[in-house]
Amino acid sequence: MTLLPSLMLAFALGLLIFPFPAFFSRRHSYRALQELDIERRNGSWTQAWRRVLRFPWHWTELARGAAGSWLTITMLHQVGASWPWYPSAAEWAGAVIPLVAAYLSILLSALLLTSPGKQPAPVFFTGAVVLTTLAPAIALPSLLLGGAVMLAMKSLVAFFLVTGPIALGLGLLFEREPWPALAAFVFATAPVLIAAGRNQDLLLPLHRSKARAEACSESEHKR
């Protein structure tokens, strides 16, 4: 009877851990948020940000983070009941386990990415995992403030540096167990620490414009 829930739990953890961003095509563009804002001011706001919204992997990462976290938590409540240690740790393990799996995904994505000097900023994935695993009173203020500071400072790094500490502080304030807040802090700040350790830039993958794609293909053809 527990075989199907166990398989579903393994699938959910695999969905969270599998490093999809590591296999992004090199044909896509990468931009810092500040560069995107410069493009917006020099051209059209809709054209600049449409490149972000038209990048399909952003929505895939959003769905992967939300679905993987929700399914992991749901299956843990079913499968964990038969584990001797889980009932006493269910209050915090249900959130910590998907956060650890999501952290492994970010780590593997950075290590396996083949584009030199470029590390995709997992804003969508991080937001989905935090919103699904943490209580709304912790997740919503953390993400809203992190997103507001990111746009105000035009910095992708600011999103992670703000979201992680706020989630930690609110988690320690409202939760009885500190482990979910600590796991969320490690998970949210991991992209910045990994990028700094590897001397890479956190960039936003974008849908490459038709003109840019044609220009790149012409330059490659000349070679």
Side-chain angles (χ1 to χ4, degrees), residues 13-21 23 61 64 101 104-105 108-109 125:
L13 290 172
L15 185 64
L16 280 176
I17 295 174
F18 188 79
F20 280 106
F23 303 98
E61 287 291 274
R64 179 171 77 97
L104 292 176
S105 176
L108 290 174
S109 297
F125 180 68

Side-chain angles (χ1 to χ4, degrees), residues 29-189:
S29 301
Y30 291 85
R31 284 288 184 277
L33 200 61
Q34 190 172 14
E35 294 176 339
L36 193 65
D37 189 65
I38 293 174
E39 291 182 11
R40 177 192 64 82
R41 279 181 276 171
N42 292 337
S44 170
W45 186 93
T46 55
Q47 289 179 356
W49 285 96
R50 190 183 301 167
R51 296 177 62 195
V52 178
L53 299 178
R54 288 178 61 191
F55 187 70
W57 285 104
H58 289 317
W59 307 109
T60 303
E61 287 291 274
L62 184 68
R64 179 171 77 97
S69 300
W70 177 82
L71 191 58
T72 298
I73 294 171
T74 303
M75 292 299 104
L76 277 173
H77 290 331
Q78 296 187 26
V79 179
S82 60
W83 299 343
W85 61 271
Y86 188 80
S88 61
E91 186 176 353
W92 57 267
V96 170
I97 291 175
L99 285 168
V100 171
Y103 166 79
L104 292 176
S105 176
I106 290 178
L107 180 62
L108 290 174
S109 297
L111 294 178
L112 297 176
L113 187 69
T114 57
S115 297
K118 299 175 181 178
Q119 183 174 321
V123 175
F124 290 81
F125 180 68
T126 300
V129 173
V130 169
L131 191 61
T132 309
T133 56
L134 300 182
I138 300 171
L140 288 175
S142 302
L143 294 175
L144 289 175
L145 288 173
V149 173
M150 174 186 71
L151 294 176
M153 298 182 62
K154 301 178 181 64
S155 171
L156 293 165
V157 172
F159 173 80
F160 303 101
L161 292 180
V162 171
T163 301
I166 292 178
L168 175 62
L170 292 177
L172 295 177
L173 181 63
F174 292 115
E175 297 286 354
R176 288 188 293 179
E177 294 288 345
W179 308 117
L182 290 170
F185 172 77
V186 172
F187 165 66
T189 55

